[in-house]
């Protein structure tokens, strides 16, 4: 594969479009191959390594969806009430072999197996009962209020395809199918560093020109949510040789090494140089704002991403660059994020050729429409612009402005962090 050099994306040159970036990631990054069996309650965030096929029908037997009366639809009058004697009773879990005889009804409860011969259930709210007779109104369709064998998933069908990232609902499905373990790819090992002579650890003495490290905490939390095994390697000085050594060391024992800071074109921005000296640069300068100088490379089979220093740029590039990379590395299917349509409450100008992310809060207009209000501060270093908002507007590459009232795409933080 031809190595991209910085000539392609030189400072004044073009920016790598995000879609192209995702393609490059897919091309250059090989998913981890090792798999393991994990118990259901340890499977959240893990990636399904082999299609999970339903070993049985779900539900495994026809059963009632309501508390009411099970009947044979053929016994019902089409234009009048039908009165039937109630000849049996079935509760959920009942093992009784109850059949509904022609011209009779069986008292039934939600989840109880449908009695033999019954094909329809009435809700108890819809009928009147006198003694042991039930009066059933006309008009109910055959098959109503029951759950058919295999209607959720049929035996032999793929319940959870390879590449699924497991969450509570997937684990519930595996449990409903009677499974106790799932074969998943191994967890990814990710190392994180901060860089910068000015960056100090919270709790340490802060010199007059120093700032406390926010980025490692942001990264550690976001990675932990995704189920990564995180190694925190602390803060590195702006020293090219030390940086190269530390990144190279970490790359030996991790699938991905992430740094923040030191990727723009300042004199102390050594990260790109370091990657070029110890590995291969895959891309540098992406069409994304904030976060343009984000850098990716490979170092002896490990992946490397150099994020910008400003915390909001770290957040945005984590979501848009690191996450697709982690999915690819972890063997997960790519994820399509759908931005939700909302109205912009503000006018905004942007350059073409980059996708821009604007921090906004949502509010509801009197007409019920949801509109997005821009945070008053849009600096990439303003952490409160993340803590005081609900999510990001995603403005596409080709547009140059939005007007108040325009329809725009909104991505809630919760969806971005998953
Ligand atoms: P850089 O990309 O290294 O030029 O950093 C851009 C800005 O982000 C500078 O103002 C840095 O001080 C700031 N910054 C860098 N690393 C961190 C960090 N770990 N936590 C908070 N701010 C940082
Ligand atoms: Mg720096």
């Amino acid at each position: 594969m031809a190595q991209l050099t910085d000539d392609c994306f030189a400072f004044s040159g073009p920016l790598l479009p995000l879609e192209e970036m995702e393609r490059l990631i897919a091309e250059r990054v090989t998913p981890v191959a090792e798999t393991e069996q994990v118990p259901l309650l340890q499977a959240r965030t893990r990636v399904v390594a082999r299609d999970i096929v339903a070993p049985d029908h779900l539900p495994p037997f026809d059963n009632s969806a309501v508390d009411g009366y099970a009947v044979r639809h053929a016994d019902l009058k089409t234009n009048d009430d039908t009165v039937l004697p109630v000849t049996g009773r079935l509760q959920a879990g009942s093992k009784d072999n109850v059949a509904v005889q022609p011209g009779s009804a069986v008292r039934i409860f939600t989840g109880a197996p449908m009695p033999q011969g019954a094909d329809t259930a009435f809700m108890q709210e819809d009928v009147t009962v006198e003694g042991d007779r039930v009066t059933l109104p006309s008009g109910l369709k055959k098959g109503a209020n029951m759950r058919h064998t295999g209607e959720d998933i049929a035996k032999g069908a793929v319940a959870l395809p390879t590449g699924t990232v497991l969450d509570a609902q997937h684990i519930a499905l595996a449990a409903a199918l009677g499974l106790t373990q799932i074969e998943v790819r191994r967890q990814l090992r990710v190392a994180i560093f901060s860089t910068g002579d000015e960056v100090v650890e919270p709790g340490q003495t802060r010199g007059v020109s120093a700032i406390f490290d926010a980025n490692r905490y942001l990264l550690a939390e976001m990675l932990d949510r995704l189920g990564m095994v995180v190694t925190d390697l602390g803060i590195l000085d702006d020293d090219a040789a030390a940086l190269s050594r530390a990144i190279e060391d970490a790359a030996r024992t991790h699938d991905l090494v992430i740094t923040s800071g030191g990727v723009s074109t300042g004199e102390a921005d050594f990260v790109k140089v370091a990657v070029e000296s110890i590995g291969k640069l895959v891309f540098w300068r992406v069409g994304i704002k904030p976060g343009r100088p984000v850098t990716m490379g490979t170092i002896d089979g490990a992946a490397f991403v150099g994020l910008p220093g400003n915390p909001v740029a770290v957040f945005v590039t984590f979501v848009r660059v690191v996450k697709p990379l982690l999915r690819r590395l972890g063997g997960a299917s790519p994820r399509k994020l759908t931005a939700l349509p909302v109205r912009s409450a503000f006018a905004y100008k942007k350059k073409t050729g980059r996708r821009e992310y604007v921090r906004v809060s949502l509010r509801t207009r009197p007409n019920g429409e949801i509109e997005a209000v821009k945070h008053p501060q849009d600096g990439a270093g303003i952490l409160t612009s993340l803590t005081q908002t609900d999510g990001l507007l995603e403005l596409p590459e080709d547009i140059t402005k939005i007007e108040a009232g325009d329809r725009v795409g909104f991505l809630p933080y919760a969806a971005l962090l998953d």
Side-chain angles (χ1 to χ4, degrees):
M1 209 85 46
Q3 183 186 329
L4 296 179
T5 68
D6 51 338
D7 291 348
C8 309
F9 302 107
F11 196 71
S12 56
L15 298 172
L16 179 69
L18 274 174
E19 275 168 24
E20 184 69 7
M21 177 205 76
E22 288 191 13
R23 202 188 54 71
L24 268 179
I25 288 174
E27 199 176 278
R28 302 294 172 94
V29 174
T30 315
V32 295
E34 302 96 310
T35 70
E36 59 182 327
Q37 296 280 347
V38 291
L40 294 191
L41 291 181
Q42 285 162 35
R44 190 166 51 79
T45 73
R46 305 298 297 273
V47 181
V48 175
R50 191 191 302 270
D51 283 357
I52 296 172
V53 170
D56 199 354
H57 290 301
L58 185 66
F61 50 89
D62 287 354
N63 67 94
S64 180
V66 296
D67 293 337
Y69 294 83
V71 301
R72 300 154 52 105
H73 194 262
D75 288 342
L76 302 172
K77 295 178 188 163
T78 36
N79 290 314
D80 199 3
D81 289 354
T82 307
V83 181
L84 296 177
V86 181
T87 57
R89 180 184 167 90
L90 272 173
Q91 276 181 279
S94 168
K95 297 192 199 88
D96 298 346
N97 192 10
V98 174
V100 62
Q101 302 305 326
S104 69
V106 166
R107 178 74 168 124
I108 198 163
F109 297 90
T110 307
M114 289 293 280
Q116 273 170 45
D119 55 18
T120 304
F122 278 85
M123 285 175 76
Q124 61 190 23
E125 292 84 347
D126 293 341
V127 306
T128 46
V129 183
E130 263 174 282
D132 62 358
R133 304 181 85 73
V134 61
T135 303
L136 310 160
S138 63
L140 195 63
K141 284 207 182 80
K142 184 174 171 181
N145 297 321
M146 61 169 286
R147 304 186 282 218
H148 296 265
T149 306
E151 72 172 22
D152 195 341
I153 186 154
K155 180 176 178 173
V158 176
L160 297 168
T162 305
T164 303
V165 180
L166 295 165
D167 207 337
Q169 62 273 33
H170 308 102
I171 292 164
L173 178 58
L177 290 169
L179 304 174
T180 58
Q181 305 202 97
I182 300 181
E183 187 176 349
V184 295
R185 302 246 190 177
R186 76 158 166 80
Q187 275 180 300
L188 299 178
R189 295 184 281 265
V190 183
I192 54 175
F193 292 104
S194 290
T195 72
D197 291 343
E198 78 283 26
V199 181
V200 300
E201 185 65 13
Q204 304 271 298
T205 310
R206 189 187 61 78
V208 282
S209 58
I211 56 163
F212 291 122
D213 190 350
N215 293 345
R216 261 166 53 245
Y217 289 84
L218 183 58
L219 289 172
E221 287 302 323
M222 292 193 291
L223 288 163
D224 182 69
R225 280 179 74 122
L226 298 175
M228 304 297 142
V229 179
V230 181
T231 314
D232 181 352
L233 293 173
I235 303 163
L236 297 171
D237 285 340
D238 287 317
D239 168 340
L243 214 66
S244 300
R245 243 179 292 121
I247 294 172
E248 199 172 20
D249 270 357
R252 282 197 198 100
T253 47
H254 294 84
D255 303 299
L256 170 64
V257 180
I258 304 176
T259 61
S260 68
V263 285
S264 44
T265 49
E267 303 225 312
D269 292 328
F270 300 118
V271 170
K272 177 168 154 282
V273 177
V275 176
E276 284 170 321
S277 72
I278 56 176
K280 284 196 164 86
L281 192 68
V282 175
F283 59 76
W284 177 54
R285 287 177 39 88
V286 174
I288 187 171
K289 188 184 174 188
R292 183 177 63 182
V294 59
T295 300
M296 192 220 148
T298 54
I299 300 160
D300 276 343
F304 170 82
V305 181
L307 303 177
N310 282 307
V312 179
V314 170
F315 184 87
V316 169
T317 49
F318 183 87
V319 159
R320 271 307 187 201
V321 180
V322 176
K323 280 186 63 186
L325 174 59
L326 287 172
R327 285 187 84 94
R328 170 74 185 163
L329 261 179
S333 323
R335 179 166 182 229
K336 178 107 186 69
L337 265 181
T338 306
L340 307 171
V342 299
R343 298 281 174 195
S344 176
F346 58 94
Y348 192 77
K349 284 195 169 60
K350 71 177 274 297
K351 287 187 181 154
T352 56
R354 58 196 193 189
R355 207 178 297 178
E356 204 157 321
Y357 293 90
V358 183
R359 287 142 273 163
V360 297
S361 303
L362 296 183
R363 68 180 178 210
T364 308
R365 287 180 176 177
N367 69 1
E369 269 185 331
I370 295 172
E371 72 179 354
V373 182
K374 188 176 153 306
H375 193 274
Q377 286 174 288
D378 47 22
I382 307 283
L383 265 168
T384 50
S385 68
L386 286 176
T387 61
Q388 295 168 353
T389 51
D390 300 314
L392 301 173
L393 290 190
E394 182 175 54
L395 306 179
E397 284 80 352
D398 53 342
I399 68 164
T400 56
K401 62 175 191 319
I402 52 171
E403 304 291 351
D406 280 358
R407 197 126 83 128
V408 284
F410 171 76
L411 295 164
Y413 289 138
L416 291 173
L417 291 172
D418 267 355

